[in-house]
Amino acid sequence: MMSDADGRSMRERMLAGDLYIADDPELAEHHLRAMDLMEAFNATPARDSRERRRLLAELLGEIGADTFIRPPLRVDYGSHIRIGARSFANYGLVALDVAPITIGDDVQIGSNVQLLTPTHPVDPELRRAKWEAAEPITIGDNVWLGGGAIVLAGVTVGDNAVVGAGAVVTRDIPANVVAVGNPARVIRAIGPDTA
């Protein structure tokens, strides 16, 4: 287990959101555990919903009642992902959970959505030395992320928001709006008088 000058392990640095080196034996073991579970989940027959659910419960930090994820699923660690109740993720979710990813209740996630918490330094020397960091992602309740949407590190998507297909979300999206484009921008509010 590698550590830095203040005695923290690379995993402790990673979980604190500080720069860390991913090439660390402790982190590698956590990652390999996730890979084993992820590969088993992705290979589980469609009719074996009980085994799929068991594997997700072991892989993820938390998965709410009546939440369903269609394989393939790709994660870094899995244990930093929390998904509420009655949510659905279609084929091809990539959730790189170097930092926490929190997904609320009743969320709809389209095919090939990417939730990307890792960041890399702008400074080329730090990048060359393999330092990286991460920032959490939070997806509120009743959000719809359209197919192919990408949510970047440090972003919060507010309750009831809709993120259009293919949007690249680089900053927070407030509740009760529709956001589209690259970078994603709010195009209208959602309320009782809108469809």
Side-chain angles (χ1 to χ4, degrees):
M1 173 178 17
M2 295 169 26
S3 61
D4 68 356
D6 67 7
R8 293 184 297 162
S9 70
M10 289 297 144
R11 185 165 193 268
E12 289 169 328
R13 290 185 65 85
M14 181 187 83
L15 294 174
D18 296 331
L19 287 173
Y20 74 100
I21 305 260
D23 185 16
D24 171 80
E26 181 185 15
L27 290 175
E29 185 54 38
H30 284 276
H31 181 70
L32 288 171
R33 176 192 174 277
M35 295 304 99
D36 290 343
L37 290 166
M38 184 182 65
E39 288 172 12
F41 169 76
N42 289 337
T44 303
R47 295 182 191 273
D48 197 350
S49 59
R50 181 174 292 162
E51 179 63 2
R52 279 188 177 175
R53 180 68 185 198
R54 184 193 72 73
L55 288 164
L56 283 176
E58 191 173 344
L59 173 63
L60 303 179
E62 182 179 327
I63 183 166
D66 300 318
T67 286
F68 186 80
I69 299 174
R70 284 186 171 158
L73 168 66
R74 301 281 184 240
V75 301
D76 272 329
Y77 300 100
S79 58
H80 306 138
I81 299 171
R82 291 179 171 36
I83 304 175
R86 301 170 308 280
S87 291
F88 172 78
N90 216 327
Y91 303 108
L93 173 62
V94 174
L96 301 185
D97 62 317
V98 175
I101 296 175
T102 305
I103 300 169
D105 296 335
D106 303 300
V107 173
Q108 299 293 310
I109 299 175
S111 295
N112 299 313
V113 165
Q114 298 178 54
L115 306 175
L116 309 176
T117 68
T119 64
H120 298 276
V122 174
D123 180 295
E125 293 307 314
L126 289 174
R127 250 190 350 269
R128 185 174 290 115
K130 306 301 182 205
W131 288 97
E132 58 185 78
E135 298 177 42
I137 291 173
T138 301
I139 308 297
D141 293 337
N142 200 34
V143 168
W144 174 20
L145 300 176
I150 299 171
V151 180
L152 298 183
V155 166
T156 295
V157 177
D159 293 348
N160 305 313
V162 174
V163 175
V168 178
V169 186
T170 60
R171 61 179 183 240
D172 290 354
I173 301 295
N176 303 304
V177 299
V178 175
V180 300
N182 180 5
R185 66 192 184 292
V186 174
I187 60 167
R188 70 180 177 100
I190 301 170
D193 299 329
T194 61

